[in-house]
Amino acid sequence: SSGINAEYGDSVALVELGMGWFGTIASFLPKTERNAKKSNLVFSTIAPGSIPWLGNLSLLALKRLVSADKQHNLPYRQSFANSYDSKSDGGAMVWGKASTLKQSVLKVVRYAKRLPDKGSTMFLKELNKVRRSIMFYGFTEMMGVLCELLEREKTAVNGDIIEKCLAQLRSETDPTKQIKG
């Protein structure tokens, strides 16, 4: 029988379920049980259109196997660095716990308090990094929370910059576009 060997802890398979639905099957071996003979398979589903920035998953292929005239259909963009490359623009962001998500959002709010004199570059960098991660993870309600927090930080001095950013946060749906102050 052919199947996924769950003993290899860092394996993932992308499967097409039909009618636009996809899924992932990943082997999972908790660190506490690495030496034990136990292993688990984790199955996750991906609903049609739930990851619009990725593109059509049915067109997923290795670039070297696709002719040059059809590579524009592939569901990734060559101009962007790999998401796992920590040296890429803004670095990779991983929210393993709710507290790290909270810390990232509060860091943006702290930079907003320093506007416009100090930290506008850092504010925009952190805002874009958090926004991009929120959109990639699909935390749409978190975007509303971020907007509320920034709304509270508006003063007569920084109001223009924050208002421009809020308008862009609320309207821009492409995670690859940068928010500008």
Side-chain angles (χ1 to χ4, degrees), residues 32-64:
T32 58
E33 299 176 14
R34 289 282 180 193
N35 296 328
K37 296 288 181 183
K38 297 178 184 179
S39 59
N40 302 303
L41 284 178
V42 178
F43 178 70
S44 303
T45 57
I46 303 170
S50 63
I51 313 175
W53 51 268
L54 187 56
N56 188 349
L57 287 176
S58 63
L59 298 174
L60 189 63
L62 295 174
K63 188 174 181 179
R64 61 185 164 83

Side-chain angles (χ1 to χ4, degrees), residues 45-132:
T45 57
I46 303 170
S50 63
I51 313 175
W53 51 268
L54 187 56
N56 188 349
L57 287 176
S58 63
L59 298 174
L60 189 63
L62 295 174
K63 188 174 181 179
R64 61 185 164 83
L65 300 178
V66 178
S67 62
D69 62 323
K70 294 184 180 177
Q71 287 183 3
H72 68 278
N73 289 331
L74 295 176
Y76 58 83
R77 298 181 185 164
Q78 187 65 29
S79 61
F80 296 103
N82 294 323
S83 62
Y84 51 81
D85 182 5
S86 63
K87 295 177 185 141
S88 64
D89 180 32
M93 181 176 288
V94 178
W95 291 327
K97 302 181 207 170
S99 62
T100 56
L101 168 60
K102 181 181 173 183
Q103 289 169 351
S104 297
V105 170
L106 291 177
K107 188 175 186 181
V108 171
V109 173
R110 276 196 313 273
Y111 282 124
K113 289 178 182 180
R114 299 178 186 170
L115 291 173
D117 299 332
K118 300 177 187 170
S120 62
T121 304
M122 290 304 293
F123 167 72
L124 290 172
K125 180 182 175 188
E126 290 300 318
L127 178 64
N128 280 305
K129 190 162 61 169
V130 169
R131 176 187 161 272
R132 187 172 53 241

